């Protein structure tokens, strides 16, 4: 069978053409390989959380029995009974029906409603700002795989050893002086647990809660009683909605409480080391719920007792859309509102020196605008034998106006075979002009002031001395597939833009105008520097011959190589780079003297996991990236600051098992989906 794009003979074990990189789909009339012949060498979507389909059961052919002449009265009675049962059920669930009025047995339906709840997240109140649900079943294959991957990392291995010392410690069932995993926790902990959190508002503190499925609630209660004793706490029994509540008051570190139980609410006495904290525990059916706020706990119990009329987190805008996309084999789920993500980022000051903003990174917009774009952000974690898959879901606000564009078309990665195998990072998008246009339109939708700023920029470029037309010179020829490649160099890394343009002559004419405008701007900048004598400086533009390919280079005397700007035509590609020498690497791939990114084992393994409907693709090689970070210490002022520097060799050692990352984005039914696959090997 041949490739539908370049005609090369396809290898049966490949899901893409090894010559041009064309993905092979069912729509091409060619069946892709059903399984990787060496599953241990690749992280595949099909290997993440899938199980073999059960064998089909033999079909039994019904045999028509002879009619006996009996009356169909029995069948009529059954049908009538089913109709009556359905009517009563609808009456109870709705609470009221025309002509019949209110349902007379509300307590009965309330009891049935309790039995319908079978997931931890169903009990989380609507005002939760962040919810994490994780698997806890030690028999789960996915959890075992995650633990095996976890153990490969030095830091987690050290933590695991210390944890195992406790988990695997010999336990005495009669021991009342300590908590033992095997005797006190493992016998009752269920298959799932959840954490819920609400942000503080004004003087109202943050609320934190835990919900755990219990396999044996009596053993759970025994465990709590033991903790209360060990912590020298006070426990008072109460009830809410006929559900048992335990109010526990204790000091941090198990310090004794005051002798007078009535003084618990008072301030600590003189000499007391820590204040008294109060926690609330509820035993609701098979759910064990703990919270630091009684109202927060009671909101969970309201949902448990009456899920129809109690506001729950599962009713949050965007939750249903994200849930539909969640993989069935997820090990953990995390939901967070954009506003909460922004508040947490600002309050914790994550990497403040670098002004790092995870919301902007996730949504591609400024954090203060994230809440206007997205209603909910979710994550799901799954594992395979040699990697992890982290999927992010961003549900769009349903009331987005016409000024917002979220319909970027899908594309088929087609330039991976043109990038060198040594690439530290690779990003490919469908159409550069569309990407820029969407980004600008969305920013103008979110911030109308940007429109005036963009108009001022266009006017400045079109005036002397630049004379650049935004639409004709800058944007018209960018209507092309593109890729961005970060390459390590002998001294410095280079950033390279690859464009597969339709009109090569138009692209080169536009680039020549841009380079001339760049020379004008650079000369004006150099004129302000007394170290440069412009009377002795010739043209900053030059032509260089690189293995038979002419490159146009913009550079100033004594400027480092990483501050160059160059472009050249390589085959049907335009390559724009910060280092003219980098063009040689792309030429070598084109001429077959160097391997392409498709031949890189880690990338090739991850490439098979790419879904068909992606809108963007990004790849990160951990080893090459660490090399670039190391070289960055010589050129970045921030990196030479001893207060901001960190131990790169130690970081590289800790991250050594993570060989590469592959990320993709796509859009489905109002949800933006980001998938990140991590390849982990010893």
């Amino acid at each position: 069978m041949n490739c539908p794009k370049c005609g090369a003979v396809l290898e049966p074990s490949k899901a893409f053409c090894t010559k041009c990189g064309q993905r092979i789909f069912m729509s091409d009339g060619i069946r892709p390989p059903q399984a990787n012949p060496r599953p241990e060498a690749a992280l595949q979507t099909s290997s993440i959380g899938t199980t073999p389909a059960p064998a089909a059961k033999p079909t039994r052919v019904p045999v028509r029995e002879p009619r006996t002449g009996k009356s169909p009265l029995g069948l009529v009675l059954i049908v009538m009974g089913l109709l009556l049962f359905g009517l009563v059920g609808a009456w109870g669930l709705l609470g009221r029906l025309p002509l019949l009025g209110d349902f007379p047995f509300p307590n009965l339906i309330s009891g049935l409603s309790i039995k319908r709840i079978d997931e931890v997240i169903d009990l989380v109140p609507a005002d939760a700002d962040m919810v994490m649900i994780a698997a806890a079943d030690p028999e789960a294959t996915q959890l075992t795989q995650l633990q095996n991957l976890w153990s490969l990392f030095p830091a987690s291995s050290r933590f695991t050893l210390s944890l195992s010392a406790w988990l695997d410690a010999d336990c005495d069932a009669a021991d009342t002086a300590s908590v033992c995993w095997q005797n006190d926790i493992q016998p009752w902990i269920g298959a799932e647990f959840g954490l819920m959190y609400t942000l503080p508002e004004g003087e109202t503190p943050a609320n934190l809660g835990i919900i755990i499925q219990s396999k044996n609630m009596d053993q759970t209660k025994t465990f709590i009683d033991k903790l209360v004793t060990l912590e020298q706490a006070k426990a008072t029994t109460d009830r809410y909605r006929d559900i048992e509540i335990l109010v526990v008051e204790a000091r941090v570190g198990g310090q004794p409480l005051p002798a007078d139980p009535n003084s618990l609410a008072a301030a600590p006495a003189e000499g007391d080391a820590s204040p008294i904290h109060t926690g609330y525990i509820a035993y609701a059916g098979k759910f064990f719920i703990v919270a630091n706020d009684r109202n927060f706990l009671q909101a969970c119990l309201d949902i448990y007792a009456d899920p129809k009329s109690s506001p729950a987190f599962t009713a949050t805008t965007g939750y249903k859309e994200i849930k539909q996309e969640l993989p069935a084999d997820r090990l953990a789920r995390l939901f967070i509102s954009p506003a909460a993500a922004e508040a947490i980022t600002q309050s914790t000051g994550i990497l403040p020196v670098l002004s790092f903003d995870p919301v902007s990174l996730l949504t591609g917009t400024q954090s203060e605008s994230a809440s206007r774009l997205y209603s909910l952000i979710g994550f799901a974690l799954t594992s395979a034998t040699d990697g992890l898959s982290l999927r992010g879901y961003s549900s769009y606000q349903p009331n987005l106006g016409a000024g917002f564009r979220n319909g970027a078309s899908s594309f088929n990665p087609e330039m991976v075979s043109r990038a060198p195998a040594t690439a530290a990072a690779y990003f490919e998008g469908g159409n550069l002009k569309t990407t820029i246009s969407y980004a600008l339109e969305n920013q103008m939708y979110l911030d109308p002031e940007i429109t005036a700023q963009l108009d001022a920029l266009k006017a400045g470029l079109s005036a002397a001395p630049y004379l650049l037309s935004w639409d004709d010179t800058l944007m018209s020829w960018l209507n092309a597939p593109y890729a961005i490649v970060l390459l390590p160099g002998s001294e410095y890394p280079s950033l390279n833009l690859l464009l597969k343009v339709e009109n090569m002559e138009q692209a080169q004419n536009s680039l020549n105008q841009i380079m001339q405008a760049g020379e004008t701007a650079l000369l004006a900048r150099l004129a302000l520097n007394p170290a440069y004598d412009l009377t002795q400086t010739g043209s900053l533009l030059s032509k260089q011959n690189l293995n038979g390919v002419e490159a146009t280079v913009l550079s100033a005397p004594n400027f480092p190589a990483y501050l160059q700007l160059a472009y050249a035509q390589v085959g049907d590609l335009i390559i724009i780079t910060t280092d003219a020498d980098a063009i040689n690497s792309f030429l070598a791939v084109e001429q077959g003297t160097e391997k392409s990114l498709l031949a890189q084992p880690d990338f090739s393994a991850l490439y098979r996991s790419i879904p068909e409907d992606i809108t963007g693709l990004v790849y990160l090689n951990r080893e090459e990236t660490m090399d670039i970070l190391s070289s960055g210490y010589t050129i970045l002022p921030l990196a030479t600051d001893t207060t901001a520097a960190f131990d790169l060799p130690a970081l590289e050692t800790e991250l050594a098992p993570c060989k590469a990352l592959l990320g993709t984005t796509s859009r489905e039914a109002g949800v933006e989906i980001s998938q990140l696959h991590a390849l982990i090997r010893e």
Side-chain angles (χ1 to χ4, degrees), residues 357-633:
D357 186 347
V359 176
S360 298
L361 184 66
L362 176 71
T363 62
T365 116
Q366 297 299 317
S367 59
E368 60 267 19
S369 304
S371 297
R372 295 187 58 194
L373 293 183
Y374 300 97
S375 56
L376 188 65
I377 300 170
F379 298 92
L381 176 69
T382 61
S383 70
T385 54
D386 61 354
L388 295 176
S389 173
L390 180 66
R391 308 185 191 187
Y393 307 86
S394 305
S395 175
Y396 288 109
Q397 288 283 10
N399 59 346
L400 281 177
F404 181 76
R405 303 285 294 276
N406 62 354
S409 59
S410 299
F411 79 104
N412 179 31
E414 57 180 287
M415 284 189 279
V416 289
S417 62
R418 318 290 290 275
T422 56
Y426 177 87
F427 172 81
E428 185 173 346
N431 185 288
L432 184 55
K433 182 178 180 180
T434 302
T435 300
I436 296 175
S437 298
Y438 278 16
L440 290 175
E441 290 177 19
N442 290 342
Q443 288 301 313
M444 288 187 286
Y445 168 74
L446 296 170
D447 185 0
E449 293 183 3
I450 293 180
T451 303
Q453 297 173 6
L454 181 60
D455 290 341
L457 174 63
K458 292 179 180 179
L461 290 173
S462 62
Y466 305 114
L467 304 177
L468 296 178
S469 168
W470 175 269
D471 294 323
D472 297 334
T473 310
L474 298 177
M475 295 295 292
S476 59
W477 60 281
L478 297 181
N479 188 31
Y482 70 102
I484 299 173
V485 185
L486 180 65
L487 286 179
S490 56
E491 290 187 73
Y492 310 110
S494 64
L495 193 62
N496 307 271
L497 172 64
L498 280 61
L499 283 164
K500 192 173 182 180
V501 298
E502 296 179 356
N503 190 326
M504 189 65 68
E505 182 180 359
Q506 179 192 23
Q508 291 183 341
N509 290 337
S510 296
L511 280 169
N512 287 333
Q513 294 181 55
I514 294 172
M515 297 290 271
Q516 291 170 4
E519 181 187 32
T520 301
L522 187 54
L523 286 171
R525 177 67 64 178
L526 293 177
L528 302 176
N529 190 336
Y532 284 94
D533 183 3
L534 294 184
T535 61
Q536 302 297 321
T537 302
S539 174
L540 303 183
L541 288 172
S542 63
K543 301 288 185 179
Q544 294 185 16
N545 188 293
L546 303 173
N547 294 323
V549 171
E550 185 180 76
T552 302
V553 182
L554 172 62
S555 179
N558 302 321
F559 264 38
Y562 59 85
L563 290 181
Q564 288 184 352
L565 181 63
Y567 85 87
Q569 178 185 349
V570 178
D572 59 348
L573 295 179
I574 285 286
I575 299 179
I576 305 172
T577 178
T578 58
D579 186 354
D581 289 340
I583 297 175
N584 287 318
S585 297
F586 294 94
L587 279 171
V589 173
E590 195 78 9
Q591 296 165 359
T593 57
E594 283 191 20
K595 294 182 178 180
S596 75
L597 194 55
L598 281 176
Q600 212 281 350
D602 293 339
F603 179 84
S604 180
L606 289 167
Y607 189 70
R608 297 182 179 93
S609 67
I610 298 177
E612 295 187 21
D613 57 348
I614 59 173
T615 58
L617 166 70
V618 61
Y619 165 76
L620 187 67
N621 182 314
R622 193 266 311 163
E623 293 180 1
E624 299 291 354
T625 302
M626 292 303 302
D627 290 342
I628 289 177
L629 284 177
S630 299
S631 67
Y633 265 59

Side-chain angles (χ1 to χ4, degrees), residues 229-445:
T229 301
L230 292 176
E231 293 297 321
Q232 303 187 62
K234 173 192 174 185
T236 305
T237 302
D238 198 355
R239 302 193 75 82
Y240 177 76
R241 282 187 174 266
D242 204 28
I243 298 171
E244 182 181 358
I245 292 180
L246 201 63
V247 182
V248 180
E249 296 167 294
R251 282 206 173 117
V252 177
Q255 300 177 56
L257 293 169
D260 182 3
N262 296 322
S263 66
L264 289 179
E270 185 176 353
D272 287 346
S274 62
I276 296 168
H277 299 276
T278 305
Y280 303 88
I281 298 172
Y283 308 107
K286 63 179 180 181
F287 298 103
F288 167 56
I289 309 173
V290 182
N292 67 333
D293 179 78
R294 178 160 188 149
N295 291 330
F296 199 39
L297 178 79
Q298 291 180 173
C300 299
L301 300 181
D302 287 337
I303 301 172
Y304 178 81
D306 189 5
K308 291 191 306 177
S309 57
S310 302
F313 181 82
T314 52
T316 302
T317 302
Y319 174 79
K320 291 182 178 179
E321 290 78 5
I322 292 178
K323 185 178 180 181
Q324 290 176 353
E325 302 293 337
L326 285 174
D329 57 343
R330 67 263 182 178
L331 280 167
R333 291 168 288 167
L334 173 66
F335 298 93
I336 183 170
S337 68
E342 176 188 345
I344 292 174
T345 302
Q346 293 176 349
S347 63
T348 55
I350 302 174
L351 297 179
V353 178
L354 300 179
S355 300
F356 179 80
D357 186 347
V359 176
S360 298
L361 184 66
L362 176 71
T363 62
T365 116
Q366 297 299 317
S367 59
E368 60 267 19
S369 304
S371 297
R372 295 187 58 194
L373 293 183
Y374 300 97
S375 56
L376 188 65
I377 300 170
F379 298 92
L381 176 69
T382 61
S383 70
T385 54
D386 61 354
L388 295 176
S389 173
L390 180 66
R391 308 185 191 187
Y393 307 86
S394 305
S395 175
Y396 288 109
Q397 288 283 10
N399 59 346
L400 281 177
F404 181 76
R405 303 285 294 276
N406 62 354
S409 59
S410 299
F411 79 104
N412 179 31
E414 57 180 287
M415 284 189 279
V416 289
S417 62
R418 318 290 290 275
T422 56
Y426 177 87
F427 172 81
E428 185 173 346
N431 185 288
L432 184 55
K433 182 178 180 180
T434 302
T435 300
I436 296 175
S437 298
Y438 278 16
L440 290 175
E441 290 177 19
N442 290 342
Q443 288 301 313
M444 288 187 286
Y445 168 74

Side-chain angles (χ1 to χ4, degrees), residues 42-341:
L43 170 61
Q44 304 183 40
T45 300
S46 59
S47 69
I48 297 178
T50 57
T51 55
K57 296 181 179 180
T59 304
R60 299 186 61 184
V61 180
V63 179
R64 184 182 296 276
E65 299 290 342
R67 299 191 57 156
T68 61
K70 292 184 178 180
S71 169
L73 178 60
L75 179 61
V76 173
L77 291 176
I78 292 175
V79 173
M80 291 180 63
L82 290 174
L83 291 174
L84 180 61
F85 180 80
L87 177 63
V88 173
W91 188 11
L93 291 175
L94 295 175
R96 182 180 179 83
L97 285 178
L99 301 180
L100 297 179
D102 294 329
F103 186 69
F105 308 107
N107 292 334
L108 172 64
I109 296 302
S110 176
L112 294 175
S113 299
I114 292 176
K115 295 179 181 179
R116 288 204 307 272
I117 296 178
D118 58 1
E119 276 195 298
V120 165
I121 198 169
D122 289 340
L123 296 178
V124 177
D127 59 350
D129 294 301
M130 186 164 54
V131 180
M132 187 196 76
I133 307 295
D137 185 0
E139 303 299 326
T141 303
Q142 284 269 317
L143 197 58
T144 302
Q145 292 172 343
L146 179 62
Q147 291 170 343
N148 292 337
L149 295 173
W150 176 285
S151 65
L152 297 178
F153 291 88
S156 59
S157 180
R158 292 191 296 269
F159 171 77
T160 301
L161 288 175
S162 62
L163 182 63
S164 298
W166 175 58
L167 297 181
D168 300 331
D170 294 332
C171 297
D172 183 357
D175 182 12
T176 59
S178 62
V179 173
C180 170
W181 170 266
Q182 294 181 6
N183 291 336
D184 297 320
I185 301 175
Q186 192 175 38
W188 61 266
I189 194 167
E192 196 175 44
F193 72 92
L195 300 175
M196 47 190 179
Y197 176 78
T198 62
L199 292 170
E201 294 184 9
E203 297 182 356
T204 303
N207 293 328
L208 179 66
I210 304 173
I211 305 176
I212 304 176
Q213 285 183 345
S214 173
K215 295 184 292 188
N216 188 317
M217 192 57 74
D218 290 336
Q219 290 179 320
T220 304
K221 293 179 180 179
T222 301
F223 165 68
I224 293 300
D225 292 342
K226 185 174 184 178
L227 274 185
V228 169
T229 301
L230 292 176
E231 293 297 321
Q232 303 187 62
K234 173 192 174 185
T236 305
T237 302
D238 198 355
R239 302 193 75 82
Y240 177 76
R241 282 187 174 266
D242 204 28
I243 298 171
E244 182 181 358
I245 292 180
L246 201 63
V247 182
V248 180
E249 296 167 294
R251 282 206 173 117
V252 177
Q255 300 177 56
L257 293 169
D260 182 3
N262 296 322
S263 66
L264 289 179
E270 185 176 353
D272 287 346
S274 62
I276 296 168
H277 299 276
T278 305
Y280 303 88
I281 298 172
Y283 308 107
K286 63 179 180 181
F287 298 103
F288 167 56
I289 309 173
V290 182
N292 67 333
D293 179 78
R294 178 160 188 149
N295 291 330
F296 199 39
L297 178 79
Q298 291 180 173
C300 299
L301 300 181
D302 287 337
I303 301 172
Y304 178 81
D306 189 5
K308 291 191 306 177
S309 57
S310 302
F313 181 82
T314 52
T316 302
T317 302
Y319 174 79
K320 291 182 178 179
E321 290 78 5
I322 292 178
K323 185 178 180 181
Q324 290 176 353
E325 302 293 337
L326 285 174
D329 57 343
R330 67 263 182 178
L331 280 167
R333 291 168 288 167
L334 173 66
F335 298 93
I336 183 170
S337 68

